[in-house]
Amino acid sequence: MRPASDPAQQLRGLHAELASALAAADWTAVSAIDQRIRRCLEALADPAALEPEAQAAHQALHRLHSEALRACAQECERLRQRLDHHLDYAEGRSAYQRIGLMGGR
C-alpha cells in the first residue's frame, strides 16, 4: 500500500475531484480544488523529477485543469451576457418610466 503522501495518488485524487466539480458545474468547488492543486504543485519541487506514474498523473491533471480554465471562461462569458441582458432591460424600463412620468405632467 502506498503512503498518503504519494504524489501520483495525490494528483489522481485532485484530478477526480476536479472532474467531479466540473461535471456538476460547481464553481465554488472548482475554485477550492484549484487552490489545493496550487499547494500540491508547490510542494512538488520539480514535476519533471517525478516517477513516471506521477508524471502521467501530473500531465492528466494539467490537461483537465486546462479544460477547467476554458469552462470557467465560458461560464464567465455566459454570466457577463446575462448581466448585460439584465442591464439592458433595466435601462429600457427606466426610459419607459421617465417617459411615463413626463407624459403625466
Side-chain angles (χ1 to χ4, degrees):
M1 181 174 217
R2 293 175 183 224
S5 63
D6 176 29
Q9 184 178 7
Q10 288 178 344
L11 294 167
R12 283 191 304 270
L14 288 167
H15 184 282
E17 289 180 45
L18 182 57
S20 177
L22 279 174
D26 183 347
W27 305 113
T28 302
V30 168
S31 176
I33 295 163
D34 181 65
Q35 292 300 311
R36 291 180 42 224
I37 290 171
R38 181 184 55 80
R39 288 192 301 271
C40 178
L41 293 177
E42 287 173 348
L44 299 175
D46 181 13
L50 293 173
E51 295 179 12
E53 183 182 0
Q55 284 182 357
H58 177 266
Q59 287 301 316
L61 181 58
H62 181 60
R63 284 189 298 274
L64 182 61
H65 191 263
S66 294
E67 290 176 30
L69 288 174
R70 284 190 295 278
C72 287
Q74 289 172 349
E75 179 66 5
C76 285
E77 178 59 20
R78 184 190 72 78
L79 292 172
R80 185 196 65 74
Q81 288 176 3
R82 187 170 182 184
L83 180 60
D84 282 349
H85 174 76
H86 287 294
L87 289 173
D88 288 345
Y89 177 77
E91 288 172 3
R93 191 179 80 224
S94 177
Y96 279 116
Q97 285 175 340
R98 281 194 305 270
I99 292 170
L101 290 174
M102 292 169 69
R105 286 187 192 179

